[in-house]
Structure formats: C-alpha cells, structure tokens
Amino acid sequence: MSCFSHSLFVFSLISLTSIHSTIAADAGLVGVNYGRIADNLPQPPKVVELLKTQGLNRVKVYDSDSAVLTALAGSGITVTVALPNENLSSAAADQSFTDKWVQDNVVAYQPSTQIEAIAVGNEVFVDPNNTTGFLVPAMNNVYSSLVKYKLDSSIKVSSPIALSALQNSYPSSAGAFKSELIEPVIKPMLEFLKKTGSYLMVNAYPFFAYTANADVISLDYALFRDTTGVVDSGNSLKYYSLFDAQIDAVFAAMDALKYSDLKMVVSETGWPSKGDENEVGASEVNAAAYNGGLVRRALTGGGTPLRPNDSLNIYLFALFNENQKTGPTSEKNYGLFYPTEEKVYNIPLTLKDLNSGQSTPVNGSKSQVVVAATPPTAATGQTWCVANGNVGEEKLQAGLDYACGEGGADCRPIQEGSTCYHPDTTEAHASYAFNSYYQKMARKSGSCYFGGAAYVVTQPPKFGTCEFPTGY
Ligand SMILES: *[C@@H]1O[C@H](CO)[C@@H](O)[C@H](O)[C@H]1NC(C)=O
Ligand SMILES: *[C@@H]1O[C@H](CO)[C@@H](O)[C@H](O)[C@H]1NC(C)=O
Ligand SMILES: *[C@@H]1O[C@H](CO)[C@@H](O)[C@H](O)[C@H]1NC(C)=O
Ligand SMILES: *[C@@H]1O[C@H](CO)[C@@H](O)[C@H](O)[C@H]1NC(C)=O
Ligand SMILES: *[C@@H]1O[C@H](CO)[C@@H](O)[C@H](O)[C@H]1NC(C)=O
C-alpha cells in the first residue's frame, strides 16, 4: 500500500524549483451580506467596527444606502452594492438613468469607500413582478455608465441568481439552466459577464434542499461533516458536501452553454439557527456546523471537484438576524449576530481564528473538533500540516501523489528503509508529505488543503519515531 511510483519520486526532486507555479489553489475569500430588513440594528458606524473586529473585510449590501457607504469609507472593507429590482426597468430603459445612479451611488463614494462590484437586481428570475426582461439591458447600461466614469476596470457588474434558475441539479454533472430562461436571458447574461471580465453571482442554500428532502439527504453531507462521499454517476467525481455538489451543478450548466471559463462568486449562502416546526434541520448547532465548515472550506483553499483550481469566494448570509423579514421563522434567523452584536453561535471567520482553534463551534464538524482538541501553542506559533484519516484512502493517496509529485515535497524520508517509512500507512505518509509541502510553502494560507484531506495542527504530529520538520 501507499507506494507512490518511482517516477513521481524522481519528478519531485527535479520540480523543487517550480513549486510556486504549481500551487493547487489559493485560499478563497469570505465576506458577509449586511442585510437591513430590521428595525433594531446598530448604526452603520458601529456595524463597521463589528466587521473590523471580526476580521470580515468584504461586505455585500442590498442597496446603496448613504449612511452605510459613508460609514465604510476608509475602513479597508470592500463592498458590493446593489441596484434593486424595483429600479431595473428604469435602468434598462435609459442610460441617462444609470449615469445618474452610478454618479450618485458609486462615484460619490469612491475611492474612500472601496466599491468592487454592483449587483444589478437580486434573484430577478423569481421576482413576482417579472423583471427578467429588464436584466441584461440594465446590466449593459450600468456597465456603459461605469465606462463613462472610467470605473469599468475596477468595478464588476453582475447579478445574483437563485439556484432555482437550474432545471436540473442532480447529479451535478447533469446541471442545466431552465430551458425557458436560456435564450432570453441566461446566454446574453453569461456573454455580458465574459465580455466585461466579470463573474456569475450565485445564491446557494443547501438548507433548502436538505429541509425539503431530509429523508434522503444525509445531514452530515449537508453540514460539511465527514462522509464517505457521494459519487456523481455522470462523471464519477466524488462529492463530500451538498454545497460543492450544488455549485458544480451551476458550473455544469455553464459548461453546457460553453461558458466554462467564467468565474463564480457565491453571493449568498447560509443556514438558519431557528425555524418553524416543519423546517427540519434549522438549529444553532447545525447553523454553526454549516457556516463554520463553509468558512474552513473556503479559507483553506481548493475549489470544487469540477473546478479544483478555482478557490471559493463566498458571502455568508447574513451578518444579523433581521426581525422584519417575512416568511417562515427561518427567514429571520440566518444571522451570525443578534442586533445586540452578540454572537448567535461561535464559529471561525478568519484564518487566524481557524489556526488558533479559539473560535470553534459548540458542535461543529469532526474536523473542527480535531482543531479544538489541539491546544494552541501561541508561545511558539508553530504549526504543522497533517492528513485527515477520515477522508478515505483515495483522497489521501491523491494528495500524497500531488505533494510528492508536482508539489515538490521532500518525500525521501517516507521511502522504504528511510526514517519515516514506519508506520507504513497512507495517513502517516500523507501527513509527512503534506507537512513537508506546507513548510516549504512557508505555511502560506491554502497550502494545507489537499482537496480537504489535510488540516493544520499546533502540536508536533506523532507517527512512530518520525520527526516532522517545522518552519524554515
Ligand atoms: C427606485 O425605485 C423606488 C421604488 O419605485 C423609487 O422610490 C426610487 O426613487 C427609485 N430610485 C431611483 C434612483 O430612481
Ligand atoms: C411589484 O410592483 C408593485 C407596483 O410597482 C410594487 O408595489 C411591489 O412592491 C412590487 N413587488 C415586488 C416584490 O417587488
Ligand atoms: C417574464 O417576462 C419575460 C419577458 O420580459 C417573458 O418572456 C416571460 O414569459 C415572463 N415570465 C412570466 C412568468 O410571466
Ligand atoms: C489545475 O491545475 C493543475 C496545475 O496547474 C493542472 O495540472 C490541472 O489540469 C488543472 N485542473 C483543471 C481542472 O483545470
Ligand atoms: C452535540 O451533538 C451530539 C450528537 O451529534 C449531541 O448528543 C449533543 O447533545 C450535542 N451537544 C450540544 C452542546 O448541542
């Protein structure tokens, strides 16, 4: 077992000089949606302080409120603003409208407020007032206005779509957009995004799929907990989370229309901490597991099985519980924080939180429990990277092959007859190789990932008498 080929081993020796060009994927980015459908939220300057103390440096809002954009000035927090659905028809009708809108809501705040994108409408295809026909013309006009004010290279134009834009999402490889949307709006929108160097925004909620099908979907799979994985019968790719499967269904739908080169940002995702009796799965423990697992997933790098090299950029939904939202109880309970700024539950939000293990959920996924179980050694600040034995032989072997091959890890000590050959298990060998790679990469964020098969620890790993090197 666990004998990687000699050719891979030889390759590892000659590729040491090109490690930097073969990093799998950088860490993704985590932002938060700052929704304000509530009458009890803190004033914007206090909210900006909260974001800063939490290390959240990307925010998305649902309008272009002056108090909010002013409070964000000079904060170092980048913001995605929105042109609401109710203004789409005006924006579509006339560029003089978008010129004025961009001037009043973007130009007026730039550059002290760092606006990085404009969401034109939100989930337009499910707007009861049917604003679908206005979407692409409105996006075009907003873009033309940005060109006019020379902001087109710094600000992207996109529009968050709901997962319900898909006709099929299972298996992921069969992902397809609703046929009635394809010609009128999907193709023109994807073409617009490609032409302007923008990206698709997708709102994805595994919670909806889970709560509607709790009898057939495993809760662990929905919550980023360790599972044996689900194989996509269409392409044999293996999924370890419903979130990844949903995102890949969208990628497959884009592939089917030949837009494989477009990037995606997950503009909303989250899990409610409370729900009505029939909203199976809504609970604090589950919300902490989902959001905590997602943050870890994004920050430790790596993409989905279909797009392994595209790091995941996500916006959590949402910053606060919003007491004036209508609909089921869950709608008011997606927040990470109460309006008092108290945490609804404790999860890591930054890489620093993750590595210190200080901010772990009460009852999160197994891998988070592993982090919590290793007391932080803040005194030395040293970290190591080890394999997660729970992900299974196949994933460990794939990671091991990568680390010792393209990754350029020093795998000589785990060759037969060398110091770290024993114990002769894939987990031990993979741990050695993952750590070697991680240390060579100067413990850069995202360099301890290996498709989810690795995690960072703050105590020296113990496998037989093998010594794991630390930082250079
Ligand atoms: C957007 O629509 C709302 C509702 O119709 C309206 O009150 C508001 O003035 C519009 N905004 C602009 C900039 O025209
Ligand atoms: C639909 O349009 C009507 C009339 O313009 C407006 O009062 C209502 O708020 C709109 N509904 C939504 C969901 O936008
Ligand atoms: C919404 O409007 C578009 C065109 O603007 C039309 O093609 C579509 O059939 C409408 N959808 C519904 C549900 O009315
Ligand atoms: C990901 O990047 C690696 C290394 O650059 C490359 O070999 C591989 O083909 C890429 N995979 C995909 C799916 O693009
Ligand atoms: C954690 O989860 C376990 C089972 O998954 C459950 O028995 C226990 O009560 C939970 N603990 C808390 C604090 O919710």
Side-chain angles (χ1 to χ4, degrees):
M1 67 175 312
S2 76
C3 31
F4 30 84
S5 71
H6 281 282
S7 61
L8 266 178
F9 174 57
V10 170
F11 182 58
S12 80
L13 297 178
I14 59 171
S15 65
L16 288 175
T17 51
S18 59
I19 300 166
H20 288 277
S21 57
T22 57
I23 310 163
D26 270 339
L29 303 170
V30 173
V32 65
N33 281 280
Y34 173 15
R36 296 184 305 122
I37 306 183
D39 62 7
N40 55 358
L41 297 185
Q43 291 303 306
K46 279 197 74 189
V47 174
V48 171
E49 282 315 305
L50 175 67
L51 293 168
K52 281 161 105 176
T53 57
Q54 297 302 317
L56 289 164
N57 53 16
R58 293 158 65 85
V59 68
K60 179 170 157 286
V61 293
Y62 291 88
D63 49 24
S64 50
D65 182 78
S66 173
V68 170
L69 295 185
T70 303
L72 285 164
S75 64
I77 298 170
T78 59
V79 55
T80 295
V81 297
L83 188 152
N85 288 6
E86 63 205 31
N87 302 115
L88 280 183
S89 61
S90 311
D94 193 348
Q95 198 195 315
S96 65
F97 177 90
T98 56
D99 282 352
K100 182 158 184 349
W101 190 89
V102 166
Q103 183 132 53
D104 293 348
N105 300 282
V106 177
V107 176
Y109 302 97
Q110 285 272 121
S112 52
T113 299
Q114 290 176 260
I115 297 173
E116 65 172 324
I118 300 171
V120 176
N122 186 45
E123 302 192 349
V124 166
F125 313 142
V126 288
D127 182 342
N129 280 353
N130 195 5
T131 44
T132 299
F134 304 122
L135 179 60
V136 177
M139 291 172 88
N140 269 311
N141 282 342
V142 170
Y143 181 75
S144 299
S145 300
L146 289 177
V147 170
K148 179 167 171 174
Y149 298 111
K150 302 200 162 46
L151 291 172
D152 53 302
S153 59
S154 54
I155 300 179
K156 302 298 182 198
V157 177
S158 189
S159 181
I161 63 168
L163 209 69
S164 61
L166 297 185
Q167 184 152 359
N168 262 328
S169 61
Y170 184 84
S172 300
S173 57
F177 289 108
K178 284 186 170 149
S179 51
E180 69 272 24
L181 292 174
I182 290 179
E183 291 302 327
V185 63
I186 298 285
K187 275 189 181 172
M189 180 177 70
L190 296 179
E191 187 59 29
F192 168 87
L193 297 174
K194 180 176 171 172
K195 189 185 74 190
T196 61
S198 186
Y199 43 79
L200 184 64
M201 291 180 175
V202 175
N203 296 347
Y205 287 90
F207 170 70
F208 295 150
Y210 174 75
T211 199
N213 306 283
D215 49 336
V216 291
I217 296 178
S218 135
L219 184 61
D220 285 349
Y221 183 62
L223 296 180
F224 296 97
R225 288 181 174 141
D226 295 330
T227 62
T228 49
V230 173
V231 174
D232 184 317
S233 55
N235 56 14
S236 302
L237 290 174
K238 199 165 191 183
Y239 287 89
Y240 294 91
S241 73
L242 183 53
F243 172 84
D244 280 50
Q246 289 193 338
I247 297 307
D248 269 359
V250 180
F251 277 129
M254 287 157 72
D255 288 350
L257 301 179
K258 308 236 165 6
Y259 286 93
S260 306
D261 44 357
L262 266 186
K263 301 287 184 203
M264 184 202 295
V265 164
V266 180
S267 39
E268 280 183 19
T269 186
W271 194 285
S273 60
K274 204 186 274 183
D276 293 320
E277 218 167 289
N278 63 347
E279 298 189 275
V280 183
S283 76
E284 269 180 34
V285 164
N286 290 348
Y290 180 82
N291 287 318
L294 182 70
V295 167
R296 156 176 280 278
R297 171 82 187 72
L299 291 180
T300 51
T304 58
L306 264 187
R307 296 274 192 286
N309 296 342
D310 286 7
S311 51
L312 281 166
N313 296 334
I314 58 159
Y315 285 86
L316 296 171
F317 187 89
L319 185 56
F320 293 111
N321 280 344
E322 295 171 67
N323 68 352
Q324 293 185 319
K325 292 207 82 165
T326 54
T329 298
S330 60
E331 283 293 317
K332 298 182 172 68
N333 290 286
Y334 275 91
L336 301 172
F337 292 88
Y338 294 108
T340 57
E341 303 197 2
E342 224 181 311
K343 288 179 178 177
V344 177
Y345 41 81
N346 200 23
I347 58 163
L349 292 171
T350 61
L351 212 53
K352 195 166 147 251
D353 293 344
L354 269 179
N355 285 341
S356 71
Q358 275 162 4
S359 209
T360 47
V362 196
N363 223 344
S365 71
K366 278 190 209 160
S367 52
Q368 281 156 343
V369 172
V370 169
V371 174
T374 40
T377 50
T380 65
Q382 284 178 344
T383 53
W384 293 260
C385 180
V386 295
N388 177 0
N390 296 327
V391 300
E393 193 77 5
E394 204 180 315
K395 270 200 133 184
L396 289 180
Q397 189 65 49
L400 181 58
D401 289 345
Y402 176 80
C404 298
E406 283 170 273
D410 177 9
C411 294
R412 284 167 295 191
I414 51 176
Q415 301 298 306
E416 190 159 6
S418 294
T419 48
C420 291
Y421 180 67
H422 290 294
D424 178 18
T425 65
T426 313
E427 184 182 352
H429 289 179
S431 292
Y432 190 90
F434 292 176
N435 184 62
S436 168
Y437 176 79
Y438 176 65
Q439 302 299 340
K440 272 190 170 44
M441 298 305 293
R443 299 177 302 282
K444 182 175 173 296
S445 71
S447 63
C448 180
Y449 180 63
F450 299 97
Y455 63 96
V456 173
V457 294
T458 52
Q459 297 280 299
K462 281 207 173 58
F463 289 99
T465 55
C466 178
E467 272 193 32
F468 280 61
T470 64
Y472 287 66

